[in-house]
Amino acid sequence: MRRRDASWATGRILIAATDRAFRRDLRELLERLGLSAVAADDAARALRAADRWPPDLLIVDAREGPEAVAALQQALGERPALAETPVLAVVPSGRADAASQSVDAGATDVVPVPFQPTVLERRVRSLIESSRDRLELGRCRERLESIQRIARIATWSADAEGSEFQGAREFRPLLGLDPAPGPVSRKLLLSRVHLEDRQTLETRLQKSAEAGEGFGLDTRIQPGDGLERILHWQGEPLGEDGRITGVLQDITERKRAEEQIRLLSHRDGLTGLTNRRAFMQRLAGAVDMARRHQRSLALLVANLDNFKRVNDTHGHVFGDRVLQGVAERFDRCLRQTDLVVHNDDSEVVECNDVSRLGGDEFTLLLTEIARPQDAARVAGRLIESLREPFQLDGHEVIIGASMGITVFPDDGDDVDALLRNADAAMCQAKSEGRNNYQFFTAAMKTDSTRRFELEEKLCRAFENHELQVYYQPQVDMETGCITGVEALLRWSDPEFGAISPAEFIPIAEGAGLIKPIGEWVLRTACWQAKAWREEGVPPLRLAVNISPHHFEDGHLVEALNQVLWDTGLDAGQVELEITENVLMGDEDEVISILQQLKDTGVSISLDDFGTGYSSLSYLKRFPVDAVKIDRSFVRDIPLDPDDEAITAAIISMAKALRLRVVAEGVETEQQREFLRARGCDEIQGYIFSPPVAPIVVAEVARHRPPR
Ligand code: C2E
Ligand code: MG
Ligand code: MG
């Protein structure tokens, strides 16, 4: 209330009265109420004053009759700016007829004389306030209309049947109709809407009226100016009469902007090629389709060779231009008609656009391929397209690309696997000397995936008895006779082929499988040795590898005893191979386990000697019987004098401690001769035999010395 009080009190009042005393008295009275008033002696003059001083209220002296009101109204009629100004007629007290005549003549309200200040104040106040409210409302409406015009939005309402539409000023122009006021019939309205959208709009309007549901809908409108526009309708049934009220907005620009943004967000800013996001979507869609229709598709990932060097030498701006150049060549190459690849049955392979995954990595999707060679042909063309050097800023740059290809579904049945494997194939291409392409093969699987898959497969292979034990002979250096064999695990997987124990033993260790597998090897090898004996094969020492995990397990001694008991094999025939890192544990405990093992009658050898923390003190402190010189030292004899020196030192050290020395990985006569000359006791290596199946061992052992 207070706010309104303050506001009305600043109101301006114009008095029109011929009676001078009346004018003066009224003005004084109003001023006492805190209002400003200007007085004129007739209507015409009063309004001339109003032009300079627009009033909030006109007070006219109608004591003599309603003519004064009528005269004022007539003068007001010529001044549209004042048309809304309220008129208060002063009438004689107790004359109801005079009051109603004044109202009929156009007065907004009447006030009796003699004045009662409170009555006068209340009338003046209420008229000024409502006049101001009306003015404000008018201004709001105008503002709203201009906002609606600018935003190309209009409010509308339709009767419950949807047969007639009333709209704000913009409504008709939005529909491409002339702006004349008046309702729009349903027929006319629908005739403006695009033929294909008409039915939907009609249905939505109808449903909205029937079910009382709001709706939102985009429709195109028939181009009047040749440019199709998109209008968004939002409607809601408001009120009990079922009228639908809503807004209509021209969203053409927004839609175009959205489309533009969508396009830009799918493009790589530097090269204009499809970007990673769009490519990933496309790939996902293509994989889905291929899966559904049981088709094949190929994914090609290309990485530029030595691009980093170009960047480092010439700077990033130059590097960017090289990338643009490559993109252009790839793109052109794919657009050339002769690149459309035909399969033998003349089916066309669809080459999609090249995309840039980021950095110097490009990718290409080939759908509908019948054979992987189709992808190879495309890769070949892309490589060929880079043959010509780039001429940039007076520099000649030659850039190649290494490419990896994966084929769905053989190499991966989802987006991730395909991309990962294409990457692995691309890396292989790099290591094959760059500027070439490679197809993905199972052997290229990235470490983590491969490891994960191998773990699962190994578990199953072990349960299904698919592991095998091979035996590699160890030969006496002087006599050339077999003295023993080392049991070595073998595993061949249908998908991955032969997998080296160097790869799967660590996996078994990580997966907690090494103990059961290790025990199985021990048991299998011991049964084998027993079987050889029964077949009449001369006794051979049987070396079995024991993983550090198995060694620390605590049940090894027990398991060993059990196996020896079950097989009845002479414990003296068995040698356990442990590695140096086993000895790194708690010394007393390690010695205690070793002693318990030795108490069963088996011997202990230190495998891969020289690769760990090889120290003479180990050999002295721990109860071991033999040392196996690691293959890595033997391999480079006689090329590497250091390896020769180490090997010679290990031999003499072991000899001094009266340990048997076995050299692993002996492949050449020179190596054997070197080892023999240094006093090595035994050799194990391809020079004599690789690890072989048990039946071969029996053959060889029966006919010893073999050479
Ligand atoms: P290791 O115990 O040092 O076995 C010797 C490795 O050298 C074997 O590899 C053998 O095939 C290889 N080798 C022998 N002579 C030559 C040669 O002249 N040239 C070349 N290039 N290599 C030769 P393999 O069978 O691949 O086994 C690798 C490693 O896997 C073994 O090294 C051993 O540490 C582990 N391993 C194998 N079987 C078992 C097992 O049953 N239990 C445990 N815990 N580990 C095992
Ligand atoms: Mg070994
Ligand atoms: Mg070894």
Side-chain angles (χ1 to χ4, degrees), residues 259-271:
E259 180 59 18
Q260 189 74 8
I261 291 168
R262 202 186 63 77
L263 274 178
L264 286 176
S265 71
H266 281 62
R267 292 269 147 211
D268 169 47
L270 181 69
T271 60

Side-chain angles (χ1 to χ4, degrees), residues 218-232:
D218 292 347
T219 63
R220 291 157 290 173
I221 66 156
Q222 299 285 32
D225 52 3
L227 257 182
E228 188 176 83
R229 304 200 73 81
I230 302 162
L231 298 185
H232 176 72

Side-chain angles (χ1 to χ4, degrees), residues 577 607-608 628 630 664:
E577 294 193 3
D607 201 0
D608 305 341
K628 294 185 77 180
D630 191 67
E664 287 182 322

Side-chain angles (χ1 to χ4, degrees), residues 486 545 577 579 606-609 628-631 664 684:
E486 177 178 4
N545 292 284
E577 294 193 3
T579 50
L606 212 46
D607 201 0
D608 305 341
F609 192 78
K628 294 185 77 180
I629 304 173
D630 191 67
R631 186 158 61 87
E664 287 182 322
Q684 176 184 341

Side-chain angles (χ1 to χ4, degrees), residues 158-164 186 209 242:
D159 53 26
E161 290 72 43
S163 53
E164 217 176 60
R186 172 209 202 88

Side-chain angles (χ1 to χ4, degrees), residues 244-356:
I244 307 168
T245 308
V247 287
L248 179 66
Q249 187 177 12
D250 185 335
I251 53 165
T252 316
E253 307 312 327
R254 199 187 80 202
K255 282 275 177 191
R256 284 199 188 124
E258 277 171 9
E259 180 59 18
Q260 189 74 8
I261 291 168
R262 202 186 63 77
L263 274 178
L264 286 176
S265 71
H266 281 62
R267 292 269 147 211
D268 169 47
L270 181 69
T271 60
L273 298 179
T274 320
N275 66 12
R276 182 185 194 94
R277 184 181 328 142
F279 174 75
M280 295 301 277
Q281 283 172 7
R282 191 178 286 180
L283 178 59
V287 166
D288 236 33
M289 284 291 275
R291 188 178 294 128
R292 225 175 298 150
H293 297 107
Q294 300 190 331
R295 296 224 178 102
S296 210
L297 67 80
L299 170 69
L300 185 154
V301 169
N303 190 288
L304 302 187
D305 297 331
N306 302 322
F307 180 68
K308 188 177 175 311
R309 211 177 53 209
V310 172
N311 252 346
D312 291 349
T313 318
H314 301 287
H316 286 271
V317 177
F318 189 90
D320 283 354
R321 293 185 52 203
V322 172
L323 289 174
Q324 287 166 333
V326 171
E328 214 177 284
R329 290 220 191 150
F330 280 176
D331 201 41
R332 196 168 349 120
C333 170
L334 289 180
R335 281 180 204 297
Q336 279 164 5
T337 43
D338 70 333
L339 196 93
V340 174
V341 182
H342 287 265
N343 297 323
D344 284 346
D345 50 7
S346 217
E347 211 185 320
V348 179
V349 174
E350 202 184 307
C351 297
N352 284 302
D353 297 343
V354 191
S355 310
R356 181 171 169 237

